[in-house]
Amino acid sequence: MIAEKLGLFRSRLGWIVPLIIMGGTLLVAALNLLLPPDAALHVPGYVIALLGKYLCYALLALSLDLVWGYVGILSLGHGAFFALGGYAMGMYLMRQIGTRGVYGNPVLPDFMVFLNWQELPWYWYGFDHFAVALLMMALAPGLLAFVFGFLAFRSRVTGVYLSIITQALTYALLLAFFRNDMGFGGNNGLTDFKEILGADLQLAGTKACLLLASAALLSGFYLFCRRMTRSRFGKVLVAVRDAESRARFLGYRVESYKLVVFTFSAVMAGLAGALYVPQVGIINPGEFDPANSIEAVVWVAVGGRGTLVGPIIGAILVNFGKTIFTGVLPELWLFALGGLFVFVTLFMPKGVVGLWPSLMARLAQMRERLGYQQPQHQPEAEE
Amino acid sequence: MKRLVRAIALLVCMVIQGHLSQPAVADAVDDSLAGFASTSYADIEKAVAALAATGDPAATAILAALADGRLAYTADKAVFIKNEDGTLLTARTGEPLAGEAPFGLKPVKVNNKVRRAVDAAMGQLTLSSTDPAQRLASAEAAFHAPDPAQLAPIEAALAKETDPRIKTELEQARAAMILAKADASDNDKVAAIAILAARGDQDAKSFLNAAANQGSGRVAEAANAALAKIDRTLAMWSAAQSFYYGLSLGSVLLLAAIGLAITFGVMGVINMAHGEMVMLGAYTTFVVQEAIRNHAPFLFDYSLLIATPLAFLVAGGVGMAIERTVIRYLYGRPLETLLATFGLSLFLQQAVRSIFGPTNLEVGNPSWMSGAFDLGGLTLTYNRMWIIVFAFVVFTVLMLVLRRTSLGLQMRAVTQNRRMAAAMGIRTAWVDTLTFGLGSGVAGIAGVALSQIDNVSPNLGQSYIIDSFMVVVFGGVGNLWGTLVGALALGVANKVLEPVAGAVLGKIVVLVLLVLFIQRKPRGLFPQKGRAVES
């Protein structure tokens, strides 16, 4: 019964979430662009960049929730897909610098000139066209996820084992991208971007557009995931999560379902990374750090796994907390984050979103105690 | 070099205190000393050669002082050695000068040419020393910088030498000189090449390379053949060295992973804070060493022996506390356990960072762990060797605990069939706590060992956690033998690939191979069999 109620609650939220996201970002962008800097309601530029960052994280969390919350694959390597998409965008932005780099080389990015490279490596070809770069933002993470998933799911690597090898995957990529001779800028990564699609990245208007683009992408993917999880396909995914063997015995090709969702989720993460890079202005191998991927998992856990709005709320809440904490009490941030991990897993298995129904149930109980006649609910909804 | 010269000088000074030189030589010494009282470098150089030719025991001290710029002279050609504390010695006798410093004391000028002359002269002087160690040192010096002009003194020394080691060294020095000499006969050069080929190290190679490039037909041929032979032996030794490094890395991995093999392998708990248990062990070592430094410095050599049980208790205690407060509520939910323990690892890291600071801490090596010894062409460092030994001891003890004690029996019973074990009266909850404590404690012990070879910082554990998981998964869960084989195989594979592919790429290759391996055999090298597997 609670589950039904939860369903109703979610269905109402379905259109509300994109509306809130789009409306909110439009309002913020307008306050930033239209008001003079000294107006009381003016939103400073850094808030725009910060919000854009949060929305990209939210999209990453959404992609992670799709595999963890709905198919039960806990990926500890989603940061790798995010970073790969980011690198694809970074490569495009590097090529847009052209002769404005420190060394003024029209073809080679600065770090290649610095390393005495004579010509562009083959895998950088075509990145001066946005269409090619866009394709690669989806293709690079998607292809990696496809190959990896194909191998892993076919040989039925599941549960914790899968989590650990996804972690090894992002760790190996971290090491690889740290190398200078990989041709991705090594330790320093790619930075010093000038413009995207001909628009100066320093301009307030460009930043606002990027924020709106992030909001639009997030909303679009949210609606798409909503459709997907409510379809027959989505029901099979949940079946795979809850009883994999049973789903297999019923004749579903569990591996294929997993592979499709895993690859799709990687593409989502890649696009999130691609939008993240122009807004923060840098991509470096640190994004591959396994700790980042695990942090993304905690956003999902805080928000509530297995719901689509949960990861969005979780990512924004935790990152907002991180911004506040690292500004005021940088020492305490890791204590807070560590504590959050433990607290959420022990006391809030359904996350923030899960608090709502249990709050309603508590309320109903109280009313009942006060003498109201209400239909009874079990306080805990079983999965 | 400078240090050596100083040590020699000091030695000679002490010898001089007792002995007075013979008068016949004394005149020649006086004459050569007078040569130092000059502003011309050429004169000084000549004086150096003349002094060395006398073979006088005082000569070494004088030359050493000259090289250090501590030799001074007055207008009436008296020469003095200035000690570092400012006192003056008469150069001739080495006795302290009584009374005031003489008027108009000027330092003898030194340039690089003079310094080279001093070095050559020193080599010549020490070749005839009565101390074998000194003779060996100077023979080595002559080998490393062969000067054909020095051939005669080397041959003279060779004729007198009785110590076989020094004799070989001298022969090799002579061979190097002959190769460097333009007018030596081909026969001599081929014989010299044979001697150098027998030495067979990098230094010999560089001389042989020179000979192969410059020499005439026969000499070049012989040199090339010798080079090829040396290359083969060197390649063999370097392979052996890689293997040793691999073994050493493997035992480090074994230490880091074996605790995990208990908590993850036996209990099925994913403890992401395992690395932090290792870190706690390393910090315990640091605290123990600090306490010893401050209160009982004479115990320093035993610091690791004291730290080992303490690290076990500290890490084990923290592990038990974590099990009682967090993990207990998450049994059967491995993914949640993973997240919660990751949170704990962040918490512990930050706690240590707040207490000890974010920087690397200095953990000292006891004397028996520093240094190295040579075995054939291998250089084995003591700390690596002890860690290999230590890893195997820990492994054996753990094996005994699991196989021969009642706790081990109960642990195995609980892992295999929890409800049946409970029905037999085993307190399963308590066994869980103890098992987790044991795994964490072993991690703490690993930290003691790692503090000797790695930086002790709050991130110490993080760098091992992924490797440790790989080892356990590779070896097969629930099987300590698998962990042993997995750790050593991974360590050796890493180090053997390193010279071929480079350190980072080698590691990436190993990781990718591992991921592929897990796809092929999801349950590792030695999979568990039986009904317990599926549950």
Side-chain angles (χ1 to χ4, degrees), chain B residues 190-404:
Chain B
V190 172
I193 285 171
I195 292 173
L196 286 181
R199 181 183 168 106
D201 62 358
Q202 288 294 347
D203 297 317
K205 258 182 82 178
S206 67
F207 295 133
L208 288 172
N209 263 326
N213 293 335
Q214 293 164 7
S216 59
R218 247 181 77 211
V219 177
E221 224 168 79
N224 278 326
L227 276 175
K229 198 180 139 209
I230 291 179
D231 279 341
R232 273 199 304 278
T233 11
L234 281 183
M236 214 183 72
W237 281 121
S238 90
Q241 185 87 49
S242 300
F243 186 77
Y244 172 71
Y245 285 145
L247 207 61
S248 142
L249 177 67
S251 54
V252 167
L253 287 179
L254 177 64
L255 277 173
I258 194 158
L260 203 64
I262 294 178
T263 50
F264 176 45
V266 178
M267 295 176 75
V269 170
I270 316 297
N271 183 12
M272 293 300 278
H274 182 78
E276 277 54 49
M277 301 295 146
V278 175
M279 175 196 74
L280 285 181
Y283 274 89
T284 310
T285 317
F286 171 76
V287 172
V288 167
Q289 284 202 347
E290 281 300 291
I292 285 179
R293 273 205 193 101
N294 292 336
H295 302 294
F298 57 92
L299 278 175
F300 191 76
D301 272 356
Y302 303 99
S303 57
L304 294 188
L305 298 183
I306 300 168
T308 305
L310 281 176
F312 182 84
L313 291 179
V314 169
V318 172
M320 282 166 79
I322 289 177
E323 204 275 343
R324 290 311 278 180
T325 52
V326 177
I327 293 175
R328 200 150 69 100
Y329 303 102
L330 296 170
Y331 280 123
R333 286 155 63 193
L335 299 180
E336 272 88 346
T337 320
L338 191 156
L339 291 181
T341 49
F342 184 78
L344 287 170
S345 87
L346 292 182
F347 201 89
L348 287 172
Q349 270 178 40
Q350 187 58 40
V352 166
R353 200 173 286 131
S354 301
I355 298 171
F356 293 96
T359 47
N360 291 342
L361 292 181
E362 171 78 22
V363 172
N365 294 72
S367 59
W368 47 272
M369 277 201 77
S370 39
F373 65 100
D374 290 325
L375 186 76
L378 299 180
T379 310
L380 310 183
T381 48
Y382 280 114
N383 56 0
R384 297 254 165 203
M385 198 190 70
W386 280 119
I387 284 175
I388 295 178
V389 174
F390 186 67
F392 282 91
V393 170
V394 170
F395 180 79
T396 317
V397 170
L398 210 54
M399 223 41 190
L400 287 177
V401 168
L402 284 183
R403 301 260 156 211
R404 294 271 179 273

Side-chain angles (χ1 to χ4, degrees), chain A residues 151-152 155 160-161 168 331 341, chain B residues 270 339 342-343 350 470 477 519:
Chain A
L151 291 169
S155 46
V160 177
Y161 290 91
E331 282 268 296
F341 271 95
Chain B
I270 316 297
L339 291 181
F342 184 78
Q350 187 58 40
M470 288 291 130
V477 167
Q519 325 267 10

Side-chain angles (χ1 to χ4, degrees), chain A residues 181-315:
Chain A
D181 37 356
M182 274 287 282
F184 294 110
N187 197 6
N188 298 325
L190 310 173
T191 185
D192 255 348
F193 308 131
K194 305 284 185 223
E195 60 185 34
I196 180 168
L197 291 169
D200 188 348
L201 278 170
Q202 299 306 317
L203 286 179
T206 317
K207 287 183 178 166
C209 282
L210 282 169
L211 171 66
L212 289 177
S214 313
L217 197 70
L218 177 62
S219 309
F221 270 119
Y222 172 80
L223 289 176
F224 187 87
C225 290
R226 214 172 97 83
R227 272 301 278 279
M228 186 161 97
T229 50
R230 283 153 170 261
S231 66
R232 240 180 70 87
F233 181 80
K235 297 239 160 50
V236 178
L237 294 185
V238 175
V240 170
R241 176 191 73 188
D242 291 341
E244 185 173 334
S245 302
R246 198 177 296 178
R248 185 176 286 124
F249 296 150
L250 285 173
Y252 291 103
R253 287 179 174 266
V254 171
E255 291 76 25
S256 309
Y257 279 92
K258 281 184 172 178
L259 188 57
V260 167
V261 175
F262 192 62
T263 309
F264 178 70
S265 157
V267 171
M268 268 169 79
L271 291 177
L275 268 173
Y276 170 81
V277 168
Q279 302 190 66
V280 295
I282 186 171
I283 174 80
N284 62 23
E287 296 295 335
F288 284 105
D289 192 338
N292 284 5
S293 299
I294 301 191
E295 220 180 297
V297 173
V298 96
W299 304 336
V300 179
V302 167
R305 58 181 278 220
T307 67
L308 290 174
V309 66
I312 299 176
I313 295 176

Side-chain angles (χ1 to χ4, degrees), chain A residues 299-375:
Chain A
W299 304 336
V300 179
V302 167
R305 58 181 278 220
T307 67
L308 290 174
V309 66
I312 299 176
I313 295 176
I316 293 175
L317 266 185
V318 175
N319 280 297
F320 182 67
K322 185 176 186 171
T323 308
I324 300 287
F325 256 106
T326 45
V328 184
L329 294 163
E331 282 268 296
L332 292 185
W333 165 241
L334 279 181
F335 281 130
L337 186 65
L340 194 64
F341 271 95
V342 179
F343 182 82
V344 167
T345 44
L346 283 185
F347 303 111
M348 276 171 44
K350 287 180 194 302
V352 174
V353 173
L355 287 180
W356 182 254
S358 63
L359 211 69
M360 296 307 279
R362 186 91 37 102
L363 218 66
Q365 264 186 345
M366 256 161 64
R367 265 189 217 149
E368 193 180 313
R369 218 171 287 155
L370 290 173
Y372 290 103
Q373 286 301 310
Q374 275 271 319

Side-chain angles (χ1 to χ4, degrees), chain A residues 30-74:
Chain A
L31 288 179
N32 171 248
L33 291 178
L34 302 179
L35 288 182
D38 49 354
L41 284 174
H42 176 77
V43 174
Y46 74 89
V47 174
I48 297 285
L50 209 58
L51 270 181
K53 205 171 97 171
Y54 292 171
L55 291 184
C56 293
Y57 283 150
L59 185 53
L60 172 63
L62 185 64
S63 77
L64 189 57
D65 182 49
L66 195 62
V67 287
W68 185 34
Y70 286 92
V71 200
I73 307 167
L74 175 53

Side-chain angles (χ1 to χ4, degrees), chain B residues 5 15 162 191 195 260 427 450 529:
Chain B
V5 170
V15 172
T162 50
I195 292 173
L260 203 64
R427 294 169 62 194
L450 288 184
K529 295 193 178 75

